[in-house]
Amino acid sequence: MERFKKIILKILKWTGISIASILFLMFIIPILFPGTISEQVKIFANKHLAGKLDYKRTHLSFFKHFPSLTVSVDDFLLKGSKPFQEDTLLAAKEVAAGINLKSLIFDRQVKIDEIYVTDAYANVFVNTKGEANYNVYVSKPSDKPKDTADSGTSIKLDLIKLKNWNVKYNDHSARVLVDAKGLNYTGKGGLSEDIFDLETNLDINKLDFSLDRIYYAKQKTLHADLITRINTNALTFVLRKNELRINELPLKFTGFLSILKDGYNLDIQAASEKTTIREMISVLPPQYLDWAKDTKIEGNSDLYFHLKGRFSEPKNLKPRLKARLLVKNGFVSNGKAPVPMNNLNMDLNVDLPSLDTEQLGIYLKKLSFDLGPNNNFRAVVTTKGLNEMKIKADVKGAVNLQTLDEALGLKDIDIRGLMDTNIKADGIFSLDKKLFPKTNGYLNLKNGWLKTKYYPNAIQNINLVANIINTDGTFKSLGVKLDPFKFDFEGNPVFVNADLQNFEDVLYKVRAKGVLNVGRIYKVFAKKGFDVSGLIMADLSLNGRQSYATKGQYSKLDNKGNLILKNIKATTEYLPKSFFIKEGNFQFENEKMWFRKFFATYGKSDFALNGYLLNTINYFIERKGTLHGKFNLKSNYILIDEFMALKEGDNSKKSIDVEYAKVENPKSSGVVIIPKNLDVSLVANAKKVEFKGLGLNHLKGTASVDKGQVYLKNTSFDIIGSRMNIDARYQDESPLTANYDVALKVLDFDVQRAYKEIDMVREMATAAKNVKGIVSLDYKLKGDFDKNMTPIYPSLEGGGVVNLRDVEVKNLRMLSAVGDNIGSKAFNDPDMKGVNIETHIKNNLIHVDKFTFKVSVLRPSISGTTSFNGLLDLQVRVGLPPGGWIGFPIVVTGTHEKPKVKIFSKTGQGIIDALYNKKSNKIIREERRAEKKSRREQRKIREAQEKKAKNAEKQINKDLKEK
């Protein structure tokens, strides 16, 4: 017994010593090695990270992520890679790396085998050019053979643990947005092995996913248990165990993915079998989930998904997508419903070969439900293709909408009425070939009623009888009849009758009459807070054939009536603000829609129009119609700046191109975008037009808009006290770029005033700072605008003449330097009155033709080149009396501020011009001073540089074509 006690005591003793030793080591090791680890972390970061890294402090501990020894950094901040150096890529409260203890103690090497990141925000962004902010890890391969004995930091991961992450992935090039909040992830496995199984556990509290701004998932919960076998040699991923749950819907994945040199090969199948309709409904947007809680839902559903094939961009190969959704024996009933929705069945199949929408097949083999006797709906629809779509459809039903409303338990909407429909269609639909399926059918709605929670009054007495028929599968036999469509709203009846025949050359007969309060009817459908108001009053009778207008047979048209708009708010996706039509009185007379009274405002700008639009009926009928018209426009004030696409405004429904451009260029104004479907001329008379602080007064002239371009002809305005005449053309290329041509003439303007008030004068003619008096200008230019609608100077091309009618040129540094070198102070005050200076601009250089002036008894002449950056390469000939026949050469180089003069020299120092790519709006090379070498050497260098620049430009053009 004594011996047994001694053994027990020894065991306890050594156990205690071991535990104490371990605890002592766990305490002392972080103290012994902090310098080694901290230094190695910094070295690793500096070598391998392109983004800016910042954190508050580092510390070692066994207890943060027991039992691993971890080096932790607090308040971690990593910026993105170029061109997103100022944007946050990853911010985290703590980033910790687990250290291999054996390597640390015996080899004094830092081997990282675990990663922990807590309370983090990741912002992954790809712009429209495909540039990503996450390329921060820089691999630096070495020419030296690998030496495993080298000291340093290495990563060989067995565990990744992410806790409480918010991740936003925004890809503008693919138009994809993924926003995950409350993400927790654990990944286990030999992540550095050639072949390993990665065990993944993933939870996301709220997940949003959208494509092309259409949300396919909104605030969904996601749970995933995954086992993926990864072969890093063959770059193959085999899905061994992959179970997902989206809200309440379970999904199982099987298959594989192999990464190839030119793409990838995959075969992935997903299924959610033997689930319920309620589980399927759980993936709907959040606003429908509250409805589902209070509604009895029964029935079964199955979902299948299969993606198989190779993806190769060079070989133009893409996989095939198949999907199927089955709903069986569905039952939906609200507690108060007298009759439930019963026998809900659906069989929907989707087939997308090669991910080609032109081959898209949609097969709705069955959609049916009942709402009691004689109250049911049935539909069978199949389509194949898109632009040329093969259609077969059979839709039939008689539904009491009030019964449907009560069965579903709809909370926000109250609908009533008897809807009866029977439509059969079989054939091909193609706008290009003017084909339409053989069709016979109708849709009738009697005694309809619509009321929402957003507005107290209902739209009542809705009656609609619509018939459609097509007998031979072409547009020619297509007929649509709407007789009648009428409703009452707040005591005002509205009715429309329409009879349309032969869509190859539409024969139309339309009658519309009524008063509609747009603001109030909008509130029936929309939530409060939107500023929409106005009144529409119509009394129209339109009768004619499409070709009557296109062939000029206007006497056969019988279009008449009035359309009155008051206080209407209108927006377009390319303008930041809304137009407010204060009053619009339109009168229809055969082929013309007259603007008898039209007053509108846009921001600070105001417009009064009278004139007409031509062929408005065709515009709405044709697939790509263009509005033609002729107007007189009057305005007190037009501010061009507020039309720029990226300016701030109240319009929230901007095009995706404008929206992305604004996100990527938040401080830019963009350019003015011109509608592509207008062919309109305007005789304009505006008291004041302002553009970027420059005021143009009493503008008069002719403006026209045609195919996305604006033309100004014989237009004049007052500027800096003078009258300027211009002809111009403007065209936008994107929300961020535009191009223009302008020919301008201005007589007798004050040079100093122009220099002080016009930015372009200060930047293009820096010498004007030392010129006083009156000059005239006759010049032509073409070029591009940048993302702030500022001229891109290297893009400018053109030329013209400046006449120095009555000027004083005093203390111009270039001339003063010449005078100082030849001993003539008269060069400080030369006589340049009446001199014409002709110049030509290209590639950021201004080429000056030879001109002569007077300096006392001398007759100097100047020619050569200067640049917008102030570089000089000018040849001066000083003519001696009498008459200046005999003279001597001078060369002026340097800059406007620091000119350099060489007397009796004809050899200057050339300026290598800039190169500009018009397709990408990029400056490939800025102008610069040529090196001081012989003419032969300069010529060879210039030829080599130009060849290199041309090759670079060709590469940019090639890249643009590939994109």
Side-chain angles (χ1 to χ4, degrees):
M1 195 62 169
E2 282 295 323
R3 188 178 177 187
F4 179 73
K5 287 181 179 179
K6 288 181 179 179
I7 293 172
I8 292 298
L9 288 172
K10 283 185 178 181
I11 291 173
L12 292 174
K13 176 182 176 181
W14 287 108
T15 300
I17 291 171
S18 299
I19 292 173
S21 299
I22 291 171
L23 290 172
F24 175 74
L25 286 173
M26 293 176 73
F27 173 77
I28 197 67
I29 285 175
I31 297 174
L32 294 175
F33 293 96
T36 301
I37 293 174
S38 182
E39 188 65 27
Q40 291 291 340
V41 168
K42 288 181 180 178
I43 292 172
F44 180 84
N46 290 332
K47 282 184 177 180
H48 296 284
L49 292 179
K52 182 182 177 182
L53 175 65
D54 192 16
Y55 51 84
K56 278 192 175 180
R57 62 179 180 272
T58 64
H59 45 85
L60 283 169
S61 173
F62 275 101
F63 305 103
K64 276 265 186 179
H65 300 280
F66 186 82
S68 297
L69 171 64
T70 57
V71 56
S72 303
V73 297
D74 295 338
D75 296 332
F76 177 93
L77 180 65
L78 177 62
K79 299 285 188 178
S81 55
K82 290 182 179 180
F84 310 101
Q85 304 95 315
E86 301 303 318
D87 298 332
T88 297
L89 172 62
L90 177 63
K93 184 177 180 180
E94 179 202 32
V95 175
I99 306 299
N100 185 300
L101 197 58
K102 174 181 172 294
S103 298
L104 177 65
I105 295 173
F106 297 104
D107 302 328
R108 297 189 68 82
Q109 291 181 345
V110 178
K111 301 285 186 181
I112 298 173
D113 53 15
E114 297 176 353
I115 294 288
Y116 304 88
V117 185
T118 305
D119 295 333
Y121 168 69
N123 178 36
V124 181
F125 179 70
V126 183
N127 66 16
T128 49
K129 299 175 184 177
E131 299 169 327
N133 70 338
Y134 53 78
N135 295 317
V136 294
Y137 184 80
V138 179
S139 177
K140 296 184 178 180
S142 174
D143 296 333
K144 297 179 182 179
K146 186 176 180 180
D147 184 359
T148 56
D150 285 349
S151 63
T153 306
S154 64
I155 297 178
K156 189 176 181 181
L157 292 176
D158 294 314
L159 173 68
I160 298 176
K161 196 162 188 176
L162 312 179
K163 184 179 179 181
N164 191 26
W165 275 53
N166 291 339
V167 180
K168 189 172 185 179
Y169 173 80
N170 196 351
D171 189 337
H172 284 182
S173 61
R175 299 187 174 184
V176 169
L177 173 66
V178 179
D179 193 355
K181 293 182 174 66
L183 180 148
N184 293 278
Y185 170 88
T186 302
K188 297 179 181 179
L191 277 69
S192 300
E193 303 295 331
D194 293 338
I195 301 175
F196 64 93
D197 286 342
L198 175 64
E199 299 180 19
T200 298
N201 184 276
L202 174 68
D203 284 289
I204 300 175
N205 292 337
K206 291 181 180 179
L207 176 67
D208 295 347
F209 170 75
S210 72
L211 176 64
D212 260 344
R213 293 196 296 188
I214 299 173
Y215 277 89
Y216 295 91
K218 192 77 172 174
Q219 295 185 9
K220 301 302 169 194
T221 60
L222 178 69
H223 174 75
D225 284 316
L226 315 173
I227 298 178
T228 307
R229 173 151 292 180
I230 300 175
N231 185 332
T232 59
N233 293 323
L235 287 178
T236 300
F237 304 84
V238 180
L239 308 178
R240 301 184 65 190
K241 175 193 172 185
N242 293 275
E243 298 178 356
L244 293 179
R245 180 173 291 275
I246 304 173
N247 279 14
E248 299 173 16
L249 181 69
L251 284 172
K252 291 184 179 181
F253 287 82
T254 59
F256 71 88
L257 168 66
S258 295
I259 308 297
L260 309 176
K261 288 183 178 180
D262 60 350
Y264 52 82
N265 186 29
L266 54 80
D267 186 354
I268 296 175
Q269 298 182 57
S272 179
E273 299 178 286
K274 298 179 181 180
T275 57
T276 66
I277 297 176
R278 180 175 287 279
E279 290 172 334
M280 186 70 68
I281 287 175
S282 73
V283 302
L284 292 175
Q287 59 266 33
Y288 298 102
L289 301 184
D290 289 338
W291 162 79
K293 289 179 183 177
D294 302 327
T295 304
K296 186 178 181 181
I297 303 172
E298 298 176 357
N300 301 316
S301 68
D302 296 292
L303 176 66
Y304 303 94
F305 172 93
H306 191 192
L307 186 62
K308 181 179 181 180
R310 282 191 60 183
F311 178 89
S312 172
E313 195 70 42
K315 296 179 182 178
N316 196 27
L317 296 174
K318 293 181 180 178
R320 183 172 195 156
L321 171 65
K322 289 185 176 182
R324 187 183 186 189
L325 174 62
L326 288 172
V327 175
K328 299 177 183 177
N329 302 319
F331 177 93
V332 181
S333 178
N334 181 263
K336 300 179 181 179
V339 179
M341 176 185 282
N342 207 358
N343 298 318
L344 173 62
N345 292 279
M346 181 170 65
D347 185 354
L348 174 65
N349 293 262
V350 177
D351 186 15
L352 188 58
S354 299
L355 298 181
D356 181 9
T357 54
E358 293 304 320
Q359 302 182 58
L360 173 65
I362 297 176
Y363 309 96
L364 182 61
K365 295 181 178 180
K366 179 190 292 184
L367 173 61
S368 62
F369 62 84
D370 298 332
L371 291 164
N374 302 317
N375 203 349
N376 53 62
F377 183 84
R378 305 283 185 272
V380 177
V381 179
T382 64
T383 71
K384 183 68 181 292
L386 194 63
N387 284 333
E388 188 170 319
M389 183 184 293
K390 187 175 181 180
I391 301 173
K392 188 170 185 179
D394 187 353
V395 180
K396 186 176 182 180
V399 178
N400 187 313
L401 296 179
Q402 185 173 359
T403 303
L404 177 65
D405 185 308
E406 292 172 347
L408 296 177
L410 301 179
K411 297 179 180 180
D412 298 338
I413 188 171
D414 181 8
I415 54 174
R416 304 175 193 174
L418 300 175
M419 185 185 73
D420 182 19
T421 183
N422 190 347
I423 300 174
K424 291 184 178 181
D426 189 1
I428 296 174
F429 175 75
S430 172
L431 288 171
D432 293 328
K433 295 182 179 180
K434 295 189 175 182
L435 299 176
F436 196 91
K438 292 181 181 179
T439 305
N440 189 6
Y442 65 85
L443 172 66
N444 292 348
L445 176 62
K446 295 180 180 179
N447 301 319
W449 164 290
L450 174 63
K451 183 179 179 297
T452 70
K453 70 174 185 179
Y454 307 116
Y455 194 71
N457 297 329
I459 303 173
Q460 304 179 47
N461 301 322
I462 307 170
N463 286 275
L464 171 65
V465 178
N467 291 274
I468 182 170
I469 189 168
N470 185 288
T471 57
D472 65 4
T474 68
F475 270 27
K476 190 172 184 179
S477 69
L478 177 60
V480 178
K481 194 171 184 180
L482 206 64
D483 187 14
F485 171 46
K486 59 184 180 180
F487 62 88
D488 293 340
F489 182 64
E490 295 191 330
N492 294 318
V494 176
F495 77 87
V496 178
N497 292 60
D499 189 358
L500 308 176
Q501 303 291 331
N502 183 7
F503 277 66
E504 282 189 4
D505 181 13
V506 178
L507 180 66
Y508 57 87
K509 189 174 183 179
V510 180
R511 183 85 174 91
K513 189 173 183 178
V515 177
L516 197 61
N517 190 313
V518 179
R520 292 178 183 176
I521 203 167
Y522 184 81
K523 290 176 182 176
V524 173
F525 299 98
K527 295 181 180 179
K528 295 178 181 179
F530 290 90
D531 184 17
V532 177
S533 60
L535 200 68
I536 298 178
M537 293 174 280
D539 188 356
L540 298 174
S541 176
L542 309 175
N543 195 350
R545 186 180 289 276
Q546 183 181 357
S547 61
Y548 292 166
T550 57
K551 293 180 180 179
Q553 298 173 322
Y554 302 129
S555 60
K556 295 184 178 181
L557 293 171
D558 185 17
N559 298 328
K560 57 188 177 182
N562 293 284
L563 181 65
I564 297 173
L565 308 180
K566 289 188 176 181
N567 299 320
I568 296 293
K569 177 182 178 181
T571 59
T572 170
E573 60 180 358
Y574 295 112
L575 289 176
K577 296 183 179 182
S578 303
F579 275 98
F580 285 90
I581 303 173
K582 293 185 175 182
E583 183 176 0
N585 192 333
F586 308 98
Q587 185 175 356
F588 288 80
E589 290 183 0
N590 293 335
E591 80 280 10
K592 294 177 181 176
M593 176 181 174
W594 286 93
F595 286 53
R596 297 301 187 190
K597 286 183 179 180
F598 185 89
F599 303 105
T601 60
Y602 176 86
K604 297 178 181 179
S605 306
D606 63 86
F607 307 91
L609 285 174
N610 64 76
Y612 63 84
L613 286 175
L614 195 64
N615 300 338
T616 51
I617 305 299
N618 287 355
Y619 171 73
F620 293 104
I621 292 175
E622 291 177 1
R623 185 182 179 187
K624 296 180 180 178
T626 299
L627 278 175
H628 306 272
K630 190 172 184 179
F631 294 93
N632 291 318
L633 180 148
K634 290 185 178 181
S635 174
N636 292 309
Y637 180 65
I638 300 175
L639 180 58
I640 302 293
D641 301 40
E642 59 188 2
F643 288 84
M644 297 177 191
L646 306 190
K647 285 281 190 177
E648 295 296 330
D650 63 333
N651 184 11
S652 60
K653 297 180 180 179
K654 299 174 185 175
S655 75
I656 194 167
D657 292 331
V658 172
E659 184 179 298
Y660 282 175
K662 182 64 177 175
V663 171
E664 295 176 18
N665 303 271
K667 296 181 180 179
S668 299
S669 66
V671 301
V672 178
I673 297 177
I674 308 301
K676 304 298 185 289
N677 58 348
L678 286 181
D679 177 15
V680 176
S681 64
L682 299 161
V683 176
N685 187 340
K687 289 183 179 179
K688 185 174 183 178
V689 177
E690 190 171 339
F691 174 58
K692 302 189 78 169
L694 184 64
L696 315 178
N697 298 309
H698 305 295
L699 183 145
K700 293 182 179 180
T702 301
S704 62
V705 181
D706 185 18
K707 297 177 181 177
Q709 299 187 75
V710 175
Y711 297 89
L712 296 178
K713 293 183 179 179
N714 301 320
T715 301
S716 63
F717 48 81
D718 294 335
I719 181 173
I720 57 171
S722 302
R723 193 72 181 168
M724 180 178 286
N725 298 281
I726 70 167
D727 290 339
R729 180 201 60 83
Y730 170 89
Q731 180 182 28
D732 64 272
E733 299 168 357
S734 75
L736 296 168
T737 56
N739 61 75
Y740 61 91
D741 300 316
V742 61
L744 55 92
K745 291 182 180 180
V746 56
L747 296 175
D748 302 341
F749 71 89
D750 187 296
V751 180
Q752 277 301 297
R753 186 172 174 185
Y755 184 84
K756 292 176 181 177
E757 297 182 20
I758 303 176
D759 293 340
M760 199 169 182
V761 172
R762 287 196 298 276
E763 293 170 6
M764 291 183 61
T766 55
K769 180 180 180 181
N770 301 101
V771 179
K772 294 181 180 180
I774 304 300
V775 303
S776 297
L777 185 68
D778 187 351
Y779 223 85
K780 291 182 179 180
L781 282 173
K782 67 177 181 179
D784 295 334
F785 283 124
D786 67 10
K787 59 186 178 182
N788 290 307
M789 211 160 171
T790 300
I792 303 173
Y793 287 101
S795 74
L796 290 178
E797 292 184 27
V801 177
V802 179
N803 175 256
L804 309 181
R805 191 173 72 79
D806 185 10
V807 299
E808 293 180 4
V809 181
K810 288 187 177 183
N811 301 317
L812 184 63
R813 292 191 179 183
M814 187 271 291
L815 292 179
S816 296
V818 171
D820 291 343
N821 278 267
I822 66 173
S824 175
K825 293 185 179 180
F827 273 86
N828 292 329
D829 188 10
D831 181 6
M832 288 192 173
K833 293 181 180 179
V835 172
N836 287 330
I837 302 176
E838 186 170 351
T839 59
H840 305 276
I841 296 173
K842 191 173 183 180
N843 295 334
N844 227 36
L845 298 185
I846 305 169
H847 303 282
V848 183
D849 289 357
K850 184 177 180 180
F851 67 93
T852 303
F853 54 98
K854 296 178 182 180
V855 176
S856 185
V857 296
L858 302 177
R859 295 293 182 270
S861 61
I862 297 177
S863 63
T865 304
T866 181
S867 80
F868 286 126
N869 288 338
L871 299 178
L872 297 175
D873 185 25
L874 298 175
Q875 289 76 47
V876 182
R877 181 185 181 277
V878 179
L880 302 173
W885 298 334
I886 300 172
F888 58 91
I890 297 175
V891 167
V892 183
T893 58
T895 65
H896 284 295
E897 295 299 319
K898 294 181 179 180
K900 298 178 181 179
V901 177
K902 290 170 62 178
I903 304 175
F904 299 108
S905 176
K906 293 183 179 180
T907 304
Q909 190 177 357
I911 305 172
I912 299 174
D913 59 1
L915 282 179
Y916 174 78
N917 186 283
K918 290 184 176 295
K919 291 184 178 179
S920 64
N921 299 104
K922 295 290 186 182
I923 300 169
I924 301 170
R925 180 188 71 197
E926 294 185 355
E927 80 276 13
R928 65 178 183 272
R929 176 70 68 191
E931 295 181 11
K932 290 184 178 180
K933 295 186 177 182
S934 68
R935 291 187 177 182
R936 184 179 179 183
E937 288 175 325
Q938 287 185 29
R939 186 172 64 252
K940 284 185 177 181
I941 291 171
R942 181 177 294 183
E943 288 173 355
Q945 288 173 334
E946 288 180 351
K947 184 178 179 180
K948 185 178 180 181
K950 286 179 181 178
N951 290 336
E953 188 170 2
K954 287 180 181 178
Q955 184 62 45
I956 288 176
N957 291 334
K958 183 180 178 182
D959 293 342
L960 286 170
K961 287 180 181 178
E962 289 177 353
K963 287 184 179 180

